[in-house]
């Protein structure tokens, strides 16, 4: 019995070690004593972990599809779109905005970033839930172009500002 108990303990230990490395292992024994009951409990736990991992993978795939969809929408917008975090750092910029501005350096030197720095007290009328206009649209002359720029604050449900969005439109022909 001592030999059998030692082999059983070793089997449980090896299975637990394999599970800790991420392997899909199970203890291959029946519950005839306390160690066997522990083996059954370990197998139940491993089954639960497998189910949670599968659900997690499904959730990640869903979030990736949603992210990819939003990025496609973002890139297909006819206006230039710049998304900034609450500290004013550019997080995303679509190709239209890059084409209008040329680079982040041009963006900073053009003064457009000032639109996003308006304090929350000066937030304008709500455009859509969670987005509020920051000041009036501004005309900005940049090289040979005239751009119309409008900034909006992005707010979470608690009305806490988490960043800004700036929309850019080339209005050079309209101005001429």
């Amino acid at each position: 019995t001592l030999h059998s108990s030692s082999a059983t303990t070793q089997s449980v230990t090896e299975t637990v070690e394999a599970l800790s490395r991420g392997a899909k292992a199970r203890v291959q024994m029946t519950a005839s004593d306390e160690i066997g009951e522990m083996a059954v409990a370990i197998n139940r736990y491993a089954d639960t972990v497998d189910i949670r991992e599968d659900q997690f993978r499904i959730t990640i795939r869903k979030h990736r599809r949603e992210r990819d969809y939003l990025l496609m929408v973002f890139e297909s917008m006819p206006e230039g779109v710049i998304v900034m975090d609450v500290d004013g750092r550019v997080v995303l910029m679509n190709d239209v905005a890059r084409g209008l501005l040329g680079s982040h350096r041009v963006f900073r030197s053009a003064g457009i970033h000032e639109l996003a720095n308006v304090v929350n007290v000066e937030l304008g009328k709500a455009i859509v839930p969670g987005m509020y206009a920051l000041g009036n649209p501004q005309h900005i002359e940049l090289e040979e172009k005239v751009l119309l720029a409008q900034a909006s604050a992005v707010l979470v449900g608690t009305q806490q500002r988490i960043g800004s969005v700036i929309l850019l439109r080339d209005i050079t022909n309209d101005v001429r």
Side-chain angles (χ1 to χ4, degrees):
T1 334
L2 185 61
H3 177 69
S4 174
S5 177
S6 175
T8 302
T9 303
Q10 184 177 353
S11 174
V12 170
T13 302
E14 288 171 358
T15 302
V16 170
E17 287 175 356
L19 289 170
S20 73
R21 291 189 306 272
K24 300 237 184 227
R26 299 295 184 273
V27 181
Q28 302 298 322
M29 62 184 315
T30 57
S32 59
D33 58 9
E34 297 86 17
I35 293 175
E37 289 175 13
M38 182 173 51
V40 170
I42 288 169
N43 287 343
R44 273 197 313 265
Y45 174 74
D47 291 342
T48 301
V49 168
D50 286 348
I51 290 168
R52 287 183 183 159
E53 283 180 357
D54 291 343
Q55 291 170 341
F56 182 67
R57 282 188 193 97
I58 290 167
T59 301
I60 289 207
R61 276 195 296 271
K62 179 183 173 194
H63 285 286
R64 283 184 181 150
R65 278 193 308 271
E66 289 172 0
R67 181 204 62 207
D68 292 346
Y69 178 76
L70 289 173
L71 286 173
M72 285 188 310
V73 169
F74 177 76
E75 284 298 334
S76 68
M77 298 216 27
E79 290 86 15
V81 182
I82 302 165
V83 179
M84 299 167 52
D85 65 16
V86 74
D87 296 321
R89 289 184 299 264
V90 174
V91 178
L92 288 170
M93 183 183 292
N94 69 0
D95 287 339
V96 175
R98 274 192 279 295
L100 291 172
L101 300 175
S103 71
H104 289 267
R105 181 186 50 75
V106 172
F107 170 68
R108 285 190 292 276
S109 66
I112 296 170
H113 67 284
E114 293 169 11
L115 288 169
N117 294 329
V118 177
V119 292
N120 288 336
V121 176
E122 297 178 29
L123 292 178
K125 182 179 174 188
I127 299 171
V128 295
M131 267 182 132
Y132 295 84
L134 294 175
N136 296 319
Q138 294 185 13
H139 290 92
I140 296 168
E141 293 185 29
L142 182 64
E143 298 169 358
E144 303 291 318
K145 298 179 247 179
V146 180
L147 304 178
L148 180 67
Q150 173 68 54
S152 296
V154 179
L155 307 175
V156 292
T158 60
Q159 300 304 306
Q160 177 185 2
R161 184 172 169 187
I162 60 169
S164 304
V165 174
I166 298 175
L167 295 178
L168 300 172
R169 181 177 293 135
D170 187 348
I171 58 169
T172 306
N173 290 336
D174 298 338
V175 170
R176 285 185 187 150

